[in-house]
Amino acid sequence: MKRRKQYTTEFKRESVQYLISSGKSQNLVCQELGLPNGILGRWKKELDQNQTETGSLQDVRDKRIQELEREVQNLKQQRDILKKAMGITLSP
């Protein structure tokens, strides 16, 4: 008797995120990842149900984008400060 393949939660989540971000059809992504047709739809539904308590996938993505934008702003400020400091020390 053939045993069903088990996938980790992380793999499921990353596969669903790839499906959403790629804009490709569900069947095409299943083919690319070597998955049975229709399984991504089930995983997406499961993840959406699990994440209604903590927020939807879109909310998680939006929060991550905001965090990264803040980090970029911080790094730009640090870079500018270092540029000014280097200019002061290099001045004759």
Side-chain angles (χ1 to χ4, degrees):
M1 192 155 127
K2 196 172 185 181
R3 205 166 168 211
R4 276 189 345 188
K5 187 166 183 177
Q6 297 288 320
Y7 298 97
T8 65
T9 304
E10 182 180 355
F11 178 77
K12 291 177 182 181
R13 185 175 28 257
E14 288 177 2
S15 299
V16 170
Q17 287 176 343
Y18 174 66
L19 171 67
I20 293 168
S21 65
S22 70
K24 297 177 182 178
S25 73
Q26 186 174 321
N27 287 338
L28 182 60
V29 173
C30 282
Q31 286 178 344
E32 287 178 2
L33 298 176
L35 301 170
N37 284 339
I39 199 164
L40 280 175
R42 260 186 284 147
W43 291 351
K44 186 173 186 278
K45 187 182 281 187
E46 288 173 11
L47 289 172
D48 283 343
Q49 288 173 351
N50 290 341
Q51 292 200 358
T52 53
E53 299 165 1
T54 60
S56 69
L57 287 174
Q58 187 65 34
D59 291 340
V60 171
R61 191 178 316 139
D62 289 344
K63 287 179 186 175
R64 181 67 177 145
I65 289 171
Q66 288 176 349
E67 289 173 7
L68 291 172
E69 287 174 344
R70 277 193 296 264
E71 186 175 346
V72 166
Q73 178 98 17
N74 230 357
L75 291 171
K76 284 181 179 180
Q77 289 175 349
Q78 290 176 6
R79 178 200 63 198
D80 292 342
I81 290 169
L82 289 172
K83 279 184 178 180
K84 288 178 184 176
M86 291 298 294
I88 292 171
T89 59
L90 294 177
S91 299

